[in-house]
Amino acid sequence: LFERATFLVISHAMQRKFRDEHRFEKISNIIKQFKLSCTKSQAQFNSMQVCSSRFSALIDLFTPTTYILVVSSQPAFRPAAIQLNIKNARPFFERHISLDMASSKSDT
């Protein structure tokens, strides 16, 4: 997960260990530069999909304050299926964030 405004890494999960421990920070910097280029050309950045023979990657708006990046090295995983899973998970996380924010307000 990335914070929406700054693209700072909020959280990540991997099923296997990779040699590059800073891979998510590097991806964050690449996307920040791409987002900056979009802003300079007055274009909106909402999502991006990259596919090759070795992987599929999808960055999409997840909640009002986050983007999600899903990378799959499984060729059988189609980006449309990944998008559907993100779409189905989104309401759960939005509800969780709403409840968390309501709880924070009642604590003050």
Side-chain angles (χ1 to χ4, degrees), residues 88-103:
N88 289 333
R90 189 176 287 128
F92 171 80
F93 282 87
E94 288 174 341
R95 235 182 353 266
H96 180 70
I97 290 169
S98 296
L99 291 172
D100 196 39
M101 290 175 71
S103 173

Side-chain angles (χ1 to χ4, degrees), residues 46-48 58-62 66-68 83 86 90:
N46 291 319
S47 65
M48 183 169 61
L58 175 73
I59 298 173
D60 201 359
L61 190 58
F62 191 50
T66 63
Y67 277 93
I68 188 168
Q83 285 176 313
I86 291 169
R90 189 176 287 128

Side-chain angles (χ1 to χ4, degrees), residues 40-94:
K40 286 180 181 178
S41 66
Q42 298 180 348
Q44 289 286 333
F45 173 79
N46 291 319
S47 65
M48 183 169 61
Q49 179 179 313
V50 178
C51 297
S52 77
S53 60
R54 295 177 46 191
F55 73 94
S56 293
L58 175 73
I59 298 173
D60 201 359
L61 190 58
F62 191 50
T63 69
T65 58
T66 63
Y67 277 93
I68 188 168
L69 166 66
V70 179
V71 179
S72 173
S73 59
Q74 301 289 328
F77 290 171
R78 300 283 182 232
I82 295 170
Q83 285 176 313
L84 182 62
N85 284 332
I86 291 169
K87 180 182 175 186
N88 289 333
R90 189 176 287 128
F92 171 80
F93 282 87
E94 288 174 341

Side-chain angles (χ1 to χ4, degrees), residues 6-70:
T6 62
F7 256 92
L8 291 174
V9 177
I10 296 172
S11 179
H12 70 275
M14 298 181 292
Q15 290 188 350
R16 63 184 170 108
K17 199 156 181 93
F18 291 90
R19 283 182 275 168
D20 187 354
E21 295 177 12
H22 304 289
R23 64 190 280 135
F24 294 104
E25 287 81 7
K26 290 176 181 178
I27 292 169
S28 172
N29 287 327
I30 291 166
I31 298 301
K32 279 186 229 180
Q33 291 302 312
F34 180 73
K35 191 176 175 191
L36 184 62
S37 297
C38 290
T39 302
K40 286 180 181 178
S41 66
Q42 298 180 348
Q44 289 286 333
F45 173 79
N46 291 319
S47 65
M48 183 169 61
Q49 179 179 313
V50 178
C51 297
S52 77
S53 60
R54 295 177 46 191
F55 73 94
S56 293
L58 175 73
I59 298 173
D60 201 359
L61 190 58
F62 191 50
T63 69
T65 58
T66 63
Y67 277 93
I68 188 168
L69 166 66
V70 179

